[in-house]
Amino acid sequence: MIILITGASHTGKTLLAQKILEEYKYPYLSIDHLKMGLIRSGNTDLTPENDEALTGYLWPIVREIIKTAIENKQNLIVEGCYIPFDWRLDFDDRYLPYIRFICLAMTGNYIEKQFDDITGHESDIETRFVDSGLTVTALTEDNERFINGFRNAGEKIVLIDSNYEQTIKELLGCQF
């Protein structure tokens, strides 16, 4: 089984991946780690700020890792924001039944009420450089982009509107 986790910044993708790893013992691939390895090794001139270009650059690699894991009957969590909205088009019926897709997104109302709590947890799993320019507006716009993009592609969104911890517990209760 492949668990594909995506969503806007600060939605807890890495936290969810870590919790699934702990609960189900599935290894996970952080697309951010792949990104930084390719950037730091000089294999690309892209920078961490080139989000759209990074999706186009990273997705073909990630897509083939997913196919290889499925072909080898291996479980894998793949998490990161560099997953295109139309990702399903890259897989046929040999692969799709083995992929569980999760897109985490927060409502504007939740972000507005919980902004300090959200940013207070930004380094729970991995150390982040604090983004002092992050605002309620920017975070809301980023979440809306993910919500609209994946919904327009026909995907379901795990919408966080009130109780973050309960939402994550419910996801962990699913059989992967």
Side-chain angles (χ1 to χ4, degrees):
M1 174 66 61
I2 304 300
I3 303 170
L4 192 56
I5 303 171
T6 194
S9 177
H10 290 77
T11 55
K13 298 176 297 293
T14 307
L15 175 68
L16 179 60
Q18 181 69 35
K19 288 188 177 292
I20 294 171
L21 174 144
E22 292 168 3
E23 178 75 19
Y24 295 95
K25 310 299 185 233
Y26 289 10
Y28 78 86
L29 168 68
S30 165
I31 301 174
D32 279 343
H33 291 175
L34 177 61
K35 168 190 75 177
M36 292 310 299
L38 291 165
I39 290 170
R40 287 179 172 173
S41 66
N43 282 293
T44 181
D45 292 329
L46 296 171
T47 70
E49 288 76 38
N50 300 124
D51 282 345
E52 192 170 325
L54 281 164
T55 299
Y57 180 71
L58 295 168
W59 178 246
I61 298 165
V62 172
R63 175 190 68 218
E64 298 308 316
I65 290 170
I66 290 169
K67 287 179 181 178
T68 301
I70 292 170
E71 291 162 357
N72 288 309
K73 296 178 177 45
Q74 295 171 309
N75 297 318
L76 180 65
I77 305 160
V78 177
E79 69 87 12
C81 62
Y82 304 105
I83 298 170
F85 300 133
D86 63 351
W87 68 272
R88 283 185 191 272
L89 298 177
D90 290 326
F91 298 96
D92 60 30
D93 290 340
R94 290 176 295 167
Y95 300 102
L96 285 171
Y98 301 99
I99 302 172
R100 167 84 193 279
F101 176 77
I102 300 170
C103 178
L104 298 174
M106 298 174 179
T107 66
N109 183 52
Y110 182 82
I111 293 167
E112 189 173 318
K113 289 180 180 178
Q114 301 294 330
F115 185 74
D116 289 339
D117 194 42
I118 293 165
T119 56
H121 287 282
E122 64 189 2
S123 293
D124 280 359
I125 300 299
E126 57 189 13
T127 304
R128 289 180 173 217
F129 295 107
V130 176
D131 184 356
S132 58
L134 185 65
T135 64
V136 169
T137 301
L139 193 55
T140 300
E141 288 172 356
D142 192 29
N143 276 267
E144 287 174 356
R145 184 175 68 81
F146 274 83
I147 292 167
N148 293 332
F150 281 111
R151 276 196 179 148
N152 289 340
E155 299 292 347
K156 293 180 182 175
I157 312 298
V158 177
L159 203 54
I160 302 160
D161 188 43
S162 59
N163 189 327
Y164 182 86
E165 289 78 18
Q166 184 61 35
T167 302
I168 298 302
K169 280 183 185 177
E170 288 171 8
L171 285 170
L172 289 172
C174 298
Q175 293 298 313
F176 294 110

